[in-house]
Amino acid sequence: MVRGSKCYKVLQARGNANFRCLISPGCKAATEAPAEGTILRRNAAPISDSGYCRSFNYAAFSSTKCSQPESCTRIPLNLMRALANRSIDVSSLGASSSVQRTPVCSGSTGLIGSGGGLQSVRHLQTLAVTPTGPKIIKADTEETIEVSVDGHSLQIPKGMTVLQACEVAGKEIPRFCYHSRLSIAGNCRMCLVEVEKTPKPVASCAMPALPGMKIKTDTPLVKKAREGVMEFLLLNHPLDCPICDQGGECDLQDQSMVFGSDRGRFTDTKRSVVDKNLGPLVKTVMTRCIHCTRCVRFASEIAGVPDLGVLGRGGSEEIGTYVENLMTSELSGNVIDICPVGALTSKPFAFTARSWELKSTESIDVSDALGSNIRIDSRGPEVMRIIPRLNEEVNEEWISDKTRFSYDGLKRQRLNEPMIRRPGGYLEPVTWRAALSAVAQAVHQVKPEEMAGVVGKLADAESIIALKDFLNKLGCENTWCEGIGANIDADVRSKYLLNTTIAGVENADVFLLIGTQVRKEAPLLNARIRKAVRNNRAKVATIGPPIDLTYDHEDLGDGTDALIQIAEGKHPFSTLLSKAQHPVVIVGAGVFERSDKDAVMAVVETIVDQAKVVRDDWNGFNVLLLEAAHAAALDLGFVPGVTAKLLSKDHLKFLYLLGADDIKPDDIPKDAFVVYQGHHGDRSAYRANVILPGAAFTEKEGTYESTEGRTQQTSPAVPSVGDARDDWKIIRALSEVVGVQLPYDSVSAVRARFLAVSPNLFRVDELEPPTVWPQSITPRSSSSKIESSPFIKAIDNFYMTNSICRASRTMAQCTSAFANLKQI
Amino acid sequence: MVLAFLRSTIKAAKDNGWKAALEEVKKQGLVTSLLDGNLLATKLWTDDGARLVGVDKLGNKYFEKKVNSQFGRHRWVEYADKKQYNASAVPPEWHGWLHYITDHTPEQLEDLKPARYGIEHKLNRSGEGDAYIYHSKGHALNPKQRNWTRYEPWQPT
């Protein structure tokens, strides 16, 4: 949601403040209130400057009288205000306020902290992006019907079931098989209600509400029906609640307390069912199963793997995999949550804790770039389990198995004290003071050009900005984030974010997936695409490594040939794409690391232009970032600066790795001084000269931006281990020892720094969609030619992508269990 | 009654001379019994009607007297150690018999004894320098000391 109105108020309040042009070093901005704004490269604000920032892609404004007007791209302020204040119709302004095209200065800006410049002439097309969300049903009399629930009449939309009508009326109906995200089964019979003029109680979840229906939920008949159903359900349910992991959060327990009878009449022996092996994640105790078939429906409808099914009838009915088979889905852990009883529970969590002993902390997942909302359940200093939190716009109520089960990696291979590599080659535990002064000594011995900073996959925005400021203050611009390639374009947000948004993907009808294995890179986004395929009959085509996406899709080859054909209009898919109402193009991580990335992106942009994927009311161009740190790193401009000599690593003498583990030790020169700051002794720790122990995402309050541009914060659930510290604090302390002290002493001061650099990171829990789409792109480096080499797989093993996963035993079990299966 | 004891002493003197009689007195612990009321009462109680049921491995003697005795007080033990004695000297196999839990004698109980987890009986030596001292779970002297560190630190190789 655009919070432009807030900016507008700030603008007024700061009426006579000093606005400085941040892109032209010589520009002496006037102190008057700006009549025109200068569009600037974001990320350009130096530390000392309290540059005023926009919620859009602009870092600051300058006044009317910019002393170097040719170096600024200008946009009339009224248009900006229009953008800021969403109440104004933007399209009407488009004609009257022409956007001037002036070249943006390129090259070094002379300002410390500058990222890559806008190196092309472009004009800006403004977009009115409608926030996508759940469709609101209008209270139209033609669309609604009147029913009465327990004597209260109410208007409900057509097509609702009786159960939903009761929910609207505030009457809670007990249920086991009904789940709002799954198809209706109607087999548990727990939701029986009485409807006037019907001979029997009706199953409310499966009965559509009809006009004039008189529903009764608290009559003696309903009470008796519920008691009877509950008694039947409990016939064959074992009485092992005291040793059941679902105990305390069991729907059957709760509902039998509320709706059940106080005694049963069953004296026979209970049936027993053989447990099924669903792999290393889901534990089954099938005797407890009440056959609600939620797991079967989840597997076939949402996860898209038809592994589970029902066998037999009556007393011999069983849920299981038809043949001995593991559940091969990245979302399989969710069946644990939707199982209303203890039939499906978490295998790693089994018998480790009871639900009521756990402290819950609401947090954010960092195992992929989607920023799934999670709840970290901890006991003392241990993370006991991770379960999803409801967020309709991000993860609905699902999380991937990597999110859910990799937490045991947080307890292994931890870096808990600073270490220095001694001449003998061994790492010696030292005090913080000694470690920091060792780093400072190394810093003072190298030139700024010989230094480099690399941000890893799990870094939070606070540590990224601290590292960037620290290195920039030293004069170093060799900064990059691993996994998004060397020459990523961080100038305009719409070029590297998932513009359609995760929830918005559901509305699309044609997909073109380029160089991405969505199922592995972002399983929940894949579930959304699957939803679009199911609901909208969306057509999906992939260009990239072949993969089973769990839905029908057309494989257009793994190289760039099909891409060029589509761009030239020669491919049959190009007509499909251009005729689509809501086309979506997703560029994935297979493209980022390519040497011809710019050329590929230019072709993609040609396709986007031709098929009108980006329109006034629909932005279908998406970049699916791979890791949690990426969006924030790009927003903060953690990309190679203009003076950076990135590709040759041979000259590097000082390397600061902020949790970067994918850099190969062979690529690091032998004499380079490597500082590794992170929480796991993963790959890079073995090469490090100094190890600075940081905090994992469960132990700190870190800001993360998801691939769709949503800023979210983790919360500390457990204390950090040993002597480890928050990451930004380590860099702040180091800067003081080195002698370039960073001007922030508290986390709020760091976040105030976000305001100067990328204000969207300051607004937590808000989606900040990019509002500007640059057109007439000339590629940054026109020299690169497109190659026909196939797109690489960005993720080879879904379960082993970051340092936490690699330390996790559960993930290792998954790797070995699913290694021989064709898909995962 | 004490008569049985006197009789055995006199018999020892007649058979083997007074020296043997003194040894018998010492063996029976008469002097200690005279100073210790508990032992003396046991001595006096152990008369002709008492049946020696058995002697355990420590030398404790177990008596039973079914005639002319109050029910519930018809089984008793005469400790072997006359100086340091206490109830923990009774091994578990005799404990049951002595406390009327069972009528099985230890020979019979041996057959019923579980082989897997039976350990040798030990006297309670509390207060005598050999007491059992409890060390908490985190105590360094506890051989089963718990490690409260809930994470494994990385070990550089």
Side-chain angles (χ1 to χ4, degrees):
Chain A
M1 213 176 297
V2 179
R3 296 296 297 264
S5 53
K6 201 189 274 176
C7 301
Y8 182 54
K9 278 174 195 161
V10 174
L11 195 71
Q12 285 178 326
R14 294 185 53 137
N16 290 322
N18 187 4
F19 291 98
R20 191 176 298 177
C21 175
L22 294 172
I23 200 153
S24 321
C27 174
K28 303 280 181 232
T31 54
E32 296 159 15
E36 276 187 342
T38 304
I39 302 169
L40 295 167
R41 201 173 66 245
R42 299 152 8 77
N43 324 325
I47 277 177
S48 56
D49 202 310
S50 58
Y52 171 66
C53 297
R54 294 288 318 194
S55 58
F56 308 119
N57 292 340
Y58 324 122
F61 297 101
S62 79
S63 72
T64 327
K65 294 167 187 168
C66 181
S67 60
Q68 294 185 338
E70 73 283 352
S71 66
C72 295
T73 304
R74 295 182 171 200
I75 184 162
L77 189 67
N78 60 351
L79 180 57
M80 284 206 154
R81 284 186 175 162
L83 282 167
N85 197 342
R86 303 300 304 172
S87 58
I88 300 173
D89 185 8
V90 180
S91 56
S92 66
L93 280 161
S96 61
S97 55
S98 61
V99 181
Q100 297 172 28
R101 293 172 62 181
T102 42
V104 178
C105 67
S106 59
S108 173
T109 62
L111 286 172
I112 291 168
S114 55
L118 283 171
Q119 292 169 351
S120 56
V121 180
R122 55 185 64 166
H123 70 268
L124 298 151
Q125 179 196 0
T126 54
L127 293 176
V129 178
T130 35
T132 48
K135 284 171 191 166
I136 298 159
I137 302 148
K138 287 175 190 169
D140 192 350
T141 44
E142 287 179 14
E143 292 281 310
T144 61
I145 53 171
E146 186 174 352
V147 295
S148 100
V149 177
D150 289 342
H152 303 284
S153 66
L154 64 148
Q155 294 282 334
I156 55 159
K158 256 183 197 169
M160 265 194 174
T161 61
V162 172
L163 188 142
Q164 284 167 324
C166 294
E167 273 184 350
V168 169
K171 298 283 176 185
E172 186 75 10
I173 306 293
R175 84 286 300 266
F176 291 111
C177 71
Y178 175 78
H179 192 280
S180 55
R181 278 170 227 283
L182 304 173
S183 63
I184 293 167
N187 51 8
C188 76
R189 317 309 290 179
M190 193 61 204
C191 61
L192 293 177
V193 294
E194 192 182 348
V195 176
E196 228 175 64
K197 291 174 188 163
T198 51
K200 296 187 291 183
V202 297
S204 62
C205 71
M207 170 70 76
L210 300 173
M213 225 176 205
K214 288 192 168 53
I215 305 158
K216 291 172 184 170
T217 67
D218 53 1
T219 57
L221 179 76
V222 173
K223 184 172 179 293
K224 196 180 162 197
R226 285 170 179 170
E227 263 181 29
V229 169
M230 183 56 80
E231 197 175 345
F232 274 123
L233 286 174
L234 292 176
L235 288 189
N236 279 319
H237 194 80
L239 296 171
D240 59 353
C241 302
I243 58 124
C244 176
D245 269 319
Q246 193 85 353
E249 47 188 8
C250 175
D251 286 357
L252 192 64
Q253 251 185 345
D254 296 345
Q255 292 184 26
S256 65
M257 285 300 291
V258 180
F259 302 107
S261 171
D262 59 347
R263 69 203 66 202
R265 290 166 284 184
F266 186 66
T267 51
D268 270 334
T269 46
K270 292 179 188 257
R271 72 173 200 149
S272 61
V273 183
V274 177
D275 293 344
K276 312 294 184 295
N277 178 17
L278 294 185
L281 300 177
V282 183
K283 182 186 160 186
T284 60
V285 184
M286 296 316 281
T287 309
R288 295 180 188 146
C289 180
I290 58 166
H291 307 116
C292 68
T293 69
R294 274 188 190 179
C295 53
V296 178
R297 284 174 283 147
F298 175 84
S300 58
E301 289 164 18
I302 296 194
V305 285
D307 287 343
L308 293 178
V310 187
L311 281 171
R313 284 178 66 92
S316 58
E317 183 173 334
E318 286 186 27
I319 304 278
T321 53
Y322 299 104
V323 289
E324 185 70 27
N325 199 357
L326 304 183
M327 195 174 168
T328 54
S329 171
E330 297 83 2
L331 300 173
S332 66
N334 293 303
V335 298
I336 296 165
D337 288 337
I338 56 167
C339 182
V341 295
L344 305 175
T345 51
S346 169
K347 215 171 234 179
F349 178 67
F351 306 132
T352 54
R354 307 306 314 235
S355 59
W356 55 86
E357 330 174 295
L358 300 171
K359 183 189 81 171
S360 296
T361 313
E362 299 196 338
S363 190
I364 300 300
D365 169 52
V366 298
S367 68
D368 56 30
L370 293 186
S372 301
N373 289 212
I374 54 168
R375 205 181 86 193
I376 302 169
D377 282 355
S378 60
R379 187 180 59 190
E382 269 182 297
V383 175
M384 300 307 291
R385 66 171 175 181
I386 287 177
I387 52 175
R389 195 151 54 89
L390 183 73
N391 190 335
E392 293 289 351
E393 291 172 325
V394 182
N395 57 325
E396 296 174 283
E397 59 186 270
W398 322 119
I399 51 174
S400 74
D401 287 352
K402 192 162 53 174
T403 307
R404 186 187 296 264
F405 293 112
S406 64
Y407 62 87
D408 68 324
L410 294 165
K411 296 174 207 163
R412 300 183 67 238
Q413 301 282 327
R414 292 303 301 270
L415 299 176
N416 62 344
E417 50 196 349
M419 294 185 202
I420 295 180
R421 193 175 293 279
R422 294 302 182 196
Y426 67 96
L427 283 160
E428 187 193 8
V430 292
T431 60
W432 272 105
R433 186 180 292 272
L436 294 179
S437 54
V439 179
Q441 213 176 351
V443 166
H444 290 310
Q445 281 169 359
V446 296
K447 291 183 221 148
E449 310 89 77
E450 295 166 344
M451 307 199 313
V454 189
V455 155
K457 296 167 174 174
L458 308 176
D460 55 352
E462 284 87 353
S463 60
I464 295 173
I465 190 67
L467 183 61
K468 180 174 165 61
D469 285 343
F470 170 60
L471 292 172
N472 288 343
K473 275 202 159 191
L474 291 169
C476 163
E477 292 207 0
N478 284 330
T479 54
W480 71 91
C481 182
E482 70 179 14
I484 31 177
N487 52 352
I488 184 84
D489 185 359
D491 291 337
V492 184
R493 284 184 92 217
S494 51
K495 293 286 180 182
Y496 59 82
L497 288 185
L498 197 81
N499 297 315
T500 314
T501 72
I502 298 167
V505 160
E506 279 179 21
N507 303 327
D509 50 3
V510 173
F511 288 88
L512 178 59
L513 312 179
I514 302 162
T516 176
Q517 300 169 285
V518 198
R519 187 176 172 187
K520 289 183 185 177
E521 290 170 18
L524 291 166
L525 183 68
N526 196 49
R528 295 272 191 176
I529 298 175
R530 187 181 151 76
K531 213 188 225 182
V533 171
R534 277 172 61 86
N535 295 350
N536 314 348
R537 298 181 185 281
K539 298 274 181 295
V540 183
T542 59
I543 301 175
I547 182 171
D548 175 14
L549 290 173
T550 71
Y551 40 83
D552 283 342
H553 65 277
E554 195 181 348
D555 193 348
L556 305 182
D558 59 355
T560 50
D561 300 340
L563 200 62
I564 296 166
Q565 282 175 17
I566 295 172
E568 288 168 350
K570 290 175 186 164
H571 200 281
F573 186 76
S574 57
T575 49
L576 195 65
L577 193 68
S578 48
K579 278 181 186 166
Q581 277 190 318
H582 297 298
V584 160
V585 174
I586 300 178
V587 179
V591 178
F592 302 155
E593 302 274 11
R594 284 174 75 99
S595 55
D596 61 339
K597 185 229 164 197
D598 286 332
V600 172
M601 288 306 280
V603 175
V604 172
E605 273 158 19
T606 314
I607 295 171
V608 166
D609 277 351
Q610 284 172 358
K612 293 200 172 51
V613 172
V614 181
R615 304 166 190 167
D616 284 350
D617 57 342
W618 175 259
N619 191 341
F621 175 77
N622 297 283
V623 174
L624 176 58
L625 296 172
L626 196 54
E627 300 296 342
H630 285 173
L634 291 170
D635 263 9
L636 294 169
F638 206 93
V639 289
V642 279
T643 62
K645 284 179 257 169
L646 180 75
L647 293 172
S648 65
K649 293 196 179 82
D650 302 335
H651 67 285
L652 290 179
K653 295 233 172 79
F654 178 87
L655 197 56
Y656 199 105
L657 304 178
L658 180 60
D661 281 309
D662 279 0
I663 191 159
K664 286 178 192 146
D666 299 340
D667 291 351
I668 304 171
K670 287 245 165 61
D671 58 338
F673 189 88
V674 180
V675 180
Y676 182 76
Q677 177 186 337
H679 42 79
H680 273 77
D682 205 41
R683 297 165 180 167
S684 295
Y686 290 95
R687 173 62 186 84
N689 293 81
V690 169
I691 288 176
L692 306 175
F697 77 103
T698 48
E699 296 152 13
K700 64 184 171 188
E701 196 181 280
T703 306
Y704 288 90
E705 188 184 346
S706 74
T707 183
E708 56 173 348
R710 184 184 304 276
T711 305
Q712 299 177 116
Q713 267 175 8
T714 59
S715 329
V718 290
S720 55
V721 301
D723 247 356
R725 295 286 186 275
D726 278 3
D727 286 296
W728 74 266
K729 287 180 185 167
I730 296 171
I731 300 166
R732 162 67 180 75
L734 178 62
S735 72
E736 195 172 340
V737 178
V738 171
V740 285
Q741 187 177 334
L742 295 173
Y744 22 80
D745 297 331
S746 63
V747 73
S748 50
V750 182
R751 289 186 187 140
R753 175 73 182 135
F754 291 157
L755 272 180
V757 180
S758 185
N760 58 301
L761 287 170
F762 191 76
R763 291 192 278 277
V764 177
D765 287 338
E766 280 183 25
L767 174 62
E768 185 97 8
T771 43
V772 172
W773 176 256
Q775 286 185 322
S776 318
I777 286 289
T778 37
R780 278 157 63 100
S781 54
S782 51
S783 60
S784 77
K785 289 213 169 138
I786 196 158
E787 297 159 15
S788 61
S789 59
F791 292 104
I792 53 151
K793 288 181 177 180
I795 293 179
D796 195 38
N797 180 358
F798 169 72
Y799 299 102
M800 291 283 168
T801 52
N802 57 41
S803 58
I804 298 175
C805 301
R806 283 192 288 263
S808 160
R809 284 203 177 97
T810 313
M811 293 292 102
Q813 285 169 357
C814 288
T815 304
S816 59
F818 297 119
N820 298 327
L821 298 173
K822 61 183 161 77
Q823 183 32 239
I824 310 166
Chain B
M1 284 291 186
V2 77
L3 290 173
F5 165 68
L6 284 176
R7 208 175 293 134
S8 72
T9 313
I10 291 161
K11 187 169 176 283
K14 270 183 188 169
D15 294 354
N16 303 320
W18 287 104
K19 207 171 181 180
L22 279 175
E23 265 178 21
E24 180 69 20
V25 168
K26 195 178 174 188
K27 192 178 141 200
Q28 298 280 353
L30 182 67
V31 184
T32 334
S33 301
L34 287 171
L35 299 174
D36 190 325
N38 286 327
L39 295 174
L40 188 63
T42 312
K43 281 283 176 208
L44 294 173
W45 189 246
T46 311
D47 66 353
D48 278 344
R51 184 172 70 90
L52 181 64
V53 180
V55 182
D56 68 15
K57 60 197 167 194
L58 295 171
N60 301 324
K61 290 172 184 169
Y62 297 89
F63 294 96
E64 187 177 45
K65 183 176 156 188
K66 286 193 170 169
V67 187
N68 287 334
S69 68
Q70 184 186 344
F71 183 81
R73 300 186 67 175
H74 64 285
R75 288 177 184 177
W76 67 96
V77 60
E78 189 189 323
Y79 292 114
D81 188 346
K82 296 289 189 295
K83 294 197 176 91
Q84 293 281 339
Y85 60 87
N86 66 43
S88 75
V90 177
E93 58 266 24
W94 276 105
H95 178 92
W97 177 87
L98 189 62
H99 290 85
Y100 315 104
I101 295 166
T102 174
D103 288 335
H104 291 298
T105 55
E107 293 76 30
Q108 295 164 325
L109 285 174
E110 271 304 308
D111 301 335
L112 306 172
K113 186 178 160 189
R116 274 172 61 212
Y117 48 85
I119 54 166
E120 204 59 32
H121 175 64
K122 248 171 72 181
L123 263 69
N124 181 4
R125 292 290 185 194
S126 293
E128 298 170 44
D130 195 20
Y132 174 73
I133 303 168
Y134 171 75
H135 296 294
S136 63
K137 287 177 202 165
H139 200 282
L141 291 176
N142 188 341
K144 290 177 182 172
Q145 184 189 5
R146 285 279 294 276
N147 182 9
W148 296 107
T149 313
R150 293 298 176 89
Y151 65 93
E152 295 172 25
W154 177 63
Q155 300 295 339
T157 47

Coordinates of all heavy atoms in Angstrom, one line a residue, chain A residues 21-27 40-46 68 71 104-119 472 477 641-643:
Chain A
C21 N 20.4 18.5 -3.3 CA 20.4 17.6 -4.5 C 21.6 16.6 -4.2 O 22.7 17.0 -3.9 CB 20.7 18.3 -5.7 SG 21.0 17.2 -7.1
L22 N 21.2 15.4 -4.2 CA 22.2 14.4 -3.8 C 23.0 13.7 -4.9 O 23.9 12.9 -4.7 CB 21.5 13.3 -3.0 CG 20.9 13.8 -1.7 CD1 20.1 12.7 -1.0 CD2 22.0 14.2 -0.7
I23 N 22.6 14.1 -6.1 CA 23.2 13.4 -7.2 C 24.3 14.3 -7.8 O 25.3 13.8 -8.3 CB 22.2 13.0 -8.2 CG1 22.7 11.9 -9.1 CG2 21.7 14.2 -9.1 CD1 21.7 11.0 -9.7
S24 N 24.2 15.5 -7.7 CA 25.2 16.4 -8.2 C 25.9 17.0 -7.1 O 25.4 17.8 -6.3 CB 24.5 17.5 -9.1 OG 23.4 17.0 -9.8
P25 N 27.2 16.7 -7.0 CA 27.9 17.2 -5.8 C 28.0 18.7 -5.8 O 28.1 19.3 -4.7 CB 29.3 16.5 -5.9 CG 29.3 15.9 -7.3 CD 27.9 15.8 -7.8
G26 N 28.1 19.3 -6.9 CA 28.2 20.7 -6.9 C 27.0 21.5 -6.7 O 27.0 22.7 -6.6
C27 N 25.9 20.8 -6.7 CA 24.6 21.5 -6.7 C 24.3 22.1 -5.3 O 24.3 21.4 -4.3 CB 23.5 20.5 -7.1 SG 21.9 21.2 -6.9
L40 N 16.0 11.2 -8.1 CA 17.4 10.8 -7.9 C 17.5 9.3 -7.8 O 16.6 8.6 -7.6 CB 17.9 11.4 -6.6 CG 17.9 12.9 -6.7 CD1 18.0 13.5 -5.3 CD2 19.0 13.4 -7.5
R41 N 18.8 9.0 -8.0 CA 19.1 7.6 -7.7 C 18.8 7.4 -6.2 O 19.2 8.3 -5.4 CB 20.5 7.4 -8.0 CG 20.8 5.9 -8.2 CD 22.2 5.8 -8.7 NE 23.1 6.2 -7.6 CZ 23.9 7.3 -7.7 NH1 23.9 8.0 -8.8 NH2 24.7 7.6 -6.8
R42 N 18.2 6.4 -5.9 CA 18.1 6.1 -4.5 C 19.5 5.7 -4.0 O 20.4 5.6 -4.7 CB 17.1 4.9 -4.3 CG 15.7 5.2 -4.8 CD 15.1 4.0 -5.2 NE 15.8 2.8 -4.9 CZ 15.9 2.3 -3.6 NH1 15.2 2.9 -2.7 NH2 16.6 1.3 -3.4
N43 N 19.6 5.5 -2.7 CA 20.8 5.0 -2.1 C 21.9 6.0 -2.1 O 23.0 5.7 -1.9 CB 21.4 3.8 -2.8 CG 20.3 2.9 -3.3 OD1 19.3 2.8 -2.6 ND2 20.5 2.2 -4.4
A44 N 21.6 7.2 -2.5 CA 22.8 8.1 -2.7 C 23.1 9.0 -1.5 O 24.0 9.7 -1.5 CB 22.5 9.1 -3.9
A45 N 22.2 8.9 -0.5 CA 22.4 9.8 0.6 C 23.6 9.5 1.4 O 23.8 8.4 1.9 CB 21.2 9.8 1.5
P46 N 24.5 10.4 1.6 CA 25.6 10.1 2.5 C 25.2 10.2 3.9 O 24.1 10.8 4.2 CB 26.6 11.2 2.1 CG 25.8 12.3 1.6 CD 24.6 11.7 1.0
Q68 N 22.9 22.3 -11.4 CA 23.4 21.5 -12.5 C 22.2 20.7 -13.1 O 22.0 19.5 -13.0 CB 24.4 20.4 -12.1 CG 25.7 21.1 -11.6 CD 26.7 20.0 -11.2 OE1 26.4 18.9 -10.9 NE2 28.0 20.4 -11.3
S71 N 22.0 17.5 -15.1 CA 22.3 16.2 -14.5 C 21.2 15.6 -13.7 O 21.3 14.7 -13.0 CB 23.6 16.3 -13.6 OG 23.3 17.1 -12.5
V104 N 20.6 11.9 -16.7 CA 21.0 11.8 -15.3 C 22.5 11.6 -15.3 O 23.1 11.0 -16.2 CB 20.4 10.5 -14.7 CG1 20.9 10.4 -13.3 CG2 18.9 10.6 -14.7
C105 N 23.2 12.3 -14.4 CA 24.6 12.2 -14.4 C 25.0 10.8 -14.1 O 24.4 10.1 -13.4 CB 25.2 13.2 -13.4 SG 24.8 12.7 -11.7
S106 N 26.1 10.4 -14.8 CA 26.6 9.1 -14.6 C 28.0 9.2 -14.1 O 28.6 10.3 -14.0 CB 26.6 8.3 -15.9 OG 27.3 9.0 -16.9
G107 N 28.5 8.1 -13.8 CA 29.9 8.1 -13.2 C 29.9 8.4 -11.7 O 28.8 8.4 -11.1
S108 N 31.0 8.6 -11.2 CA 31.2 8.8 -9.8 C 30.5 10.1 -9.4 O 30.6 11.1 -10.1 CB 32.6 8.9 -9.4 OG 32.7 9.2 -8.1
T109 N 29.8 10.0 -8.4 CA 29.1 11.2 -7.9 C 29.9 11.9 -6.8 O 29.6 13.0 -6.5 CB 27.8 10.8 -7.2 OG1 28.2 10.0 -6.1 CG2 26.9 10.0 -8.1
G110 N 31.0 11.4 -6.4 CA 31.8 12.0 -5.4 C 31.3 11.9 -4.0 O 31.9 12.3 -3.1
L111 N 30.2 11.3 -3.9 CA 29.6 11.1 -2.6 C 29.9 9.7 -2.1 O 29.7 8.7 -2.8 CB 28.1 11.3 -2.6 CG 27.6 12.7 -2.8 CD1 26.1 12.7 -3.0 CD2 28.0 13.5 -1.6
I112 N 30.3 9.6 -0.9 CA 30.5 8.3 -0.4 C 29.2 7.7 -0.2 O 28.2 8.3 0.3 CB 31.3 8.5 1.0 CG1 32.7 8.9 0.7 CG2 31.2 7.2 1.7 CD1 33.4 9.3 1.9
G113 N 29.1 6.5 -0.6 CA 27.8 5.8 -0.4 C 27.0 5.7 -1.6 O 25.8 5.4 -1.6
S114 N 27.6 6.1 -2.7 CA 26.8 6.0 -3.9 C 26.8 4.6 -4.5 O 27.8 3.9 -4.5 CB 27.4 6.9 -5.0 OG 28.7 6.6 -5.2
G115 N 25.7 4.2 -5.0 CA 25.6 2.9 -5.7 C 25.8 3.1 -7.1 O 26.3 4.1 -7.6
G116 N 25.4 2.1 -7.9 CA 25.5 2.3 -9.4 C 24.6 3.3 -9.9 O 23.4 3.5 -9.4
G117 N 25.0 4.1 -10.9 CA 24.3 5.2 -11.3 C 23.3 4.8 -12.4 O 23.3 3.8 -13.0
L118 N 22.3 5.7 -12.6 CA 21.4 5.5 -13.7 C 22.3 5.8 -15.0 O 22.6 7.0 -15.2 CB 20.3 6.4 -13.6 CG 19.1 6.1 -12.7 CD1 18.2 7.3 -12.6 CD2 18.4 4.9 -13.1
Q119 N 22.5 4.8 -15.7 CA 23.4 5.1 -16.8 C 22.7 5.2 -18.2 O 23.3 5.0 -19.2 CB 24.5 4.0 -16.8 CG 25.4 4.2 -15.6 CD 26.3 3.0 -15.5 OE1 26.2 2.0 -16.1 NE2 27.3 3.1 -14.6
N472 N 32.0 2.3 2.9 CA 32.0 3.5 2.1 C 32.8 4.6 2.8 O 33.5 5.4 2.2 CB 30.6 4.0 1.9 CG 29.9 3.2 0.8 OD1 30.5 2.4 0.1 ND2 28.6 3.3 0.8
E477 N 34.2 0.8 -2.5 CA 32.9 0.6 -3.1 C 32.7 -0.8 -3.7 O 31.8 -1.1 -4.4 CB 32.7 1.6 -4.3 CG 32.6 3.0 -3.7 CD 31.9 3.9 -4.7 OE1 31.4 3.5 -5.7 OE2 31.7 5.1 -4.3
G641 N 29.8 -0.3 -6.5 CA 29.8 1.2 -6.9 C 30.5 1.4 -8.2 O 31.0 0.4 -8.9
V642 N 30.4 2.6 -8.7 CA 30.9 2.8 -10.1 C 32.4 2.6 -10.2 O 32.9 2.3 -11.3 CB 30.5 4.2 -10.5 CG1 29.1 4.3 -11.0 CG2 30.8 5.3 -9.4
T643 N 33.1 2.8 -9.1 CA 34.6 2.6 -9.2 C 35.0 1.2 -8.9 O 36.2 0.9 -8.9 CB 35.3 3.5 -8.2 OG1 34.8 3.2 -6.9 CG2 35.0 5.0 -8.5

